Amino acid sequence: MPQVETTQAEAPQVETPQVETNAETHEEPKIGIRVDERTGRRIIESVQEPFTNEEPKQEEPKQEEPKAETEQQEEPVQDSQPVQTTQQTQQNQPIQTQPIQTQQIQNHPLPFYSPAEMTLAIQMGQVDQNRIPPEYAAQYAAMVSRNAPKPKSEAELRNDFLDSVNKMAKERTMKDLGVTDEELSTGEFSDDENIRNKVERYKTQLEINRTNIISEYAEQVRIEQLKAQQANDFKASVASWINEQRAREPHFDDIGFYMQEHYKTMPYEKAASIAPAMQKALSGNLDPQSAQVIQNYYNDCRKEYYAKLNGTSTTPTPRSPTVERRGTGKSVEKPVDYAEKLRNASVRDKAAIVGEWLNAMKG
């Protein structure tokens, strides 16, 4: 009997945990994600039946208190906004980092040359300075400085000049006398007297042509130097004239602006010679002929500028012819030139001059 009681007492201790464990296994809720049809948001909720989700989730480790875990997971059902924000942040995270990655790729420097690539770039003459490895930078700089063209010395330049003179003299002499290279090489030892004479004439004419070529070159250099000196003198004279006019004329800049626009409104026959000269002056390629045109055009524009400034005209006013009366023997007073007065008068004095003119016409 004591043994039986002991067995009955131990049985509930072994079976009871198994029954409770199975019951807890069947009653444990599962968590799922449901899309709200009205708002389109994803909501976490507990379901009893198994489900399949497109986004697999990692299984969470089981805890000793499944009920407490169920309560913690059921709380987001009441307030799904934090879950939605977290998921949207995870979905938008690649989009936010994409411009940063693109910028890093663009700013990333190109890799250094390998030895084979370095050799190929040097052979093709397309070396990127930023891709030269640091260990090859000194060698590449030495190679560039070694292969750079060095300026020729005065003796080398003189020898090159004499070589070109001899070549030109030989070509000119052979063309003038009709001598061939074969005749020059064997002419001195030829049995034909005509060929020997031709070779002798060639030697004499060669020296003459060499001297003429040197003289022609010297004359060409002299002419170029003279042209350069004349161009410098002309530029100096233009600059001196501009400075003189600027110091003398207070409205020099305004007249210059007026010159740039006035010829565009002139008749074609007058503007045809002024427009090219103005283009040369604005581009800095003024020549003596164009300078004379610009100078005359400046004087005309200066008169018209002051005429507009004073409200007068540059064209004379037509007058009717007057008939001389019979003399009385008395001294005749010289008539007053009111037009000249108006031309040189100020704005305030013009009204008085016009009134005086009208009274003189009535009298």
Side-chain angles (χ1 to χ4, degrees):
M1 290 299 292
Q3 296 178 356
V4 174
E5 291 178 357
T6 303
T7 306
Q8 292 179 356
E10 292 176 355
Q13 294 178 359
V14 176
E15 294 178 357
T16 300
Q18 294 179 357
V19 173
E20 291 178 357
T21 303
N22 295 333
E24 290 173 0
T25 305
H26 291 289
E27 293 178 359
E28 180 182 2
K30 297 182 179 180
I31 305 302
I33 298 177
R34 180 176 63 84
V35 179
D36 191 354
E37 298 178 357
R38 183 173 61 85
T39 61
R41 298 176 177 177
R42 296 183 179 182
I43 302 175
I44 298 177
E45 61 182 5
S46 61
V47 294
Q48 296 295 333
E49 297 180 359
F51 64 96
T52 304
N53 189 12
E54 297 178 357
E55 299 179 3
K57 300 179 62 178
Q58 297 180 357
E59 296 182 358
E60 299 179 357
K62 295 183 180 180
Q63 299 180 1
E64 296 178 0
E65 296 180 2
K67 293 183 179 180
E69 180 183 0
T70 304
E71 293 177 357
Q72 293 177 359
Q73 295 179 353
E74 289 179 355
E75 288 178 1
V77 177
Q78 298 178 359
D79 189 7
S80 60
Q81 187 68 22
V83 177
Q84 177 195 359
T85 305
T86 304
Q87 292 179 357
Q88 289 179 354
T89 304
Q90 294 177 355
Q91 293 177 358
N92 295 334
Q93 185 175 0
I95 299 176
Q96 294 177 357
T97 57
Q98 184 174 359
I100 299 175
Q101 295 175 358
T102 305
Q103 185 177 3
Q104 291 177 356
I105 293 174
Q106 292 178 354
N107 296 334
H108 190 274
L110 295 175
F112 290 125
Y113 284 126
S114 64
E117 293 175 346
M118 185 75 177
T119 303
L120 181 61
I122 293 174
Q123 293 176 355
M124 297 181 64
Q126 300 177 354
V127 179
D128 187 357
Q129 301 288 342
N130 298 325
R131 297 187 60 188
I132 299 176
E135 58 271 18
Y136 297 146
Q139 298 179 4
Y140 177 75
M143 182 195 68
V144 171
S145 62
R146 184 172 58 254
N147 295 333
K150 298 180 181 179
K152 292 184 178 181
S153 61
E154 185 177 356
E156 292 176 345
L157 294 175
R158 184 172 60 255
N159 293 333
D160 293 342
F161 172 73
L162 294 177
D163 291 341
S164 61
V165 169
N166 293 331
K167 182 178 179 181
M168 293 175 61
K170 180 179 179 181
E171 292 176 355
R172 182 182 299 183
T173 306
M174 292 177 64
K175 183 178 179 181
D176 294 342
L177 300 179
V179 181
T180 62
D181 291 332
E182 183 179 359
E183 292 176 344
L184 292 177
S185 59
T186 60
E188 295 181 1
F189 308 100
S190 176
D191 296 335
D192 192 347
E193 186 177 359
N194 293 329
I195 296 178
R196 291 197 304 269
N197 294 334
K198 185 184 293 187
V199 172
E200 293 297 331
R201 289 196 304 269
Y202 168 81
K203 293 180 180 180
T204 305
Q205 189 64 31
L206 180 64
E207 293 297 331
I208 296 174
N209 289 336
R210 184 185 290 111
T211 305
N212 292 338
I213 290 173
I214 295 176
S215 300
E216 292 172 0
Y217 177 76
E219 182 65 17
Q220 183 180 358
V221 171
R222 188 189 67 81
I223 293 174
E224 291 179 355
Q225 292 177 351
L226 181 61
K227 289 182 178 179
Q229 183 64 32
Q230 291 176 352
N232 293 333
D233 295 342
F234 172 71
K235 291 180 180 179
S237 63
V238 172
S240 176
W241 182 84
I242 292 175
N243 294 333
E244 181 182 355
Q245 297 299 323
R246 187 185 298 276
R248 180 187 303 175
E249 178 56 56
H251 300 283
F252 180 80
D253 294 334
D254 297 335
I255 296 174
F257 293 139
Y258 181 73
M259 292 174 62
Q260 297 180 17
E261 300 296 332
H262 178 59
Y263 75 93
K264 299 178 183 178
T265 60
M266 295 174 62
Y268 175 78
E269 56 274 7
K270 293 183 178 180
S273 60
I274 298 176
M278 285 295 300
Q279 295 297 330
K280 290 181 179 180
L282 294 175
S283 61
N285 298 322
L286 197 63
D287 52 54
Q289 293 78 10
S290 300
Q292 186 63 38
V293 175
I294 293 297
Q295 186 174 0
N296 297 333
Y297 178 57
Y298 169 80
N299 294 330
D300 295 340
C301 288
R302 182 174 177 274
K303 293 179 182 178
E304 295 186 8
Y305 175 81
Y306 276 102
K308 289 185 177 182
L309 186 64
N310 297 326
T312 58
S313 176
T314 56
T315 56
T317 304
R319 300 178 183 178
S320 58
T322 57
V323 180
E324 296 182 356
R325 298 179 182 181
R326 185 177 58 181
T328 59
K330 299 180 180 180
S331 60
V332 180
E333 297 181 358
K334 184 179 181 181
V336 179
D337 190 356
Y338 292 100
E340 186 66 23
K341 281 188 174 183
L342 286 174
R343 186 186 305 276
N344 299 324
S346 61
V347 178
R348 294 182 179 180
D349 298 339
K350 286 182 180 180
I353 294 174
V354 171
E356 183 182 353
W357 194 358
L358 293 176
N359 293 332
M361 293 175 63
K362 292 179 181 179

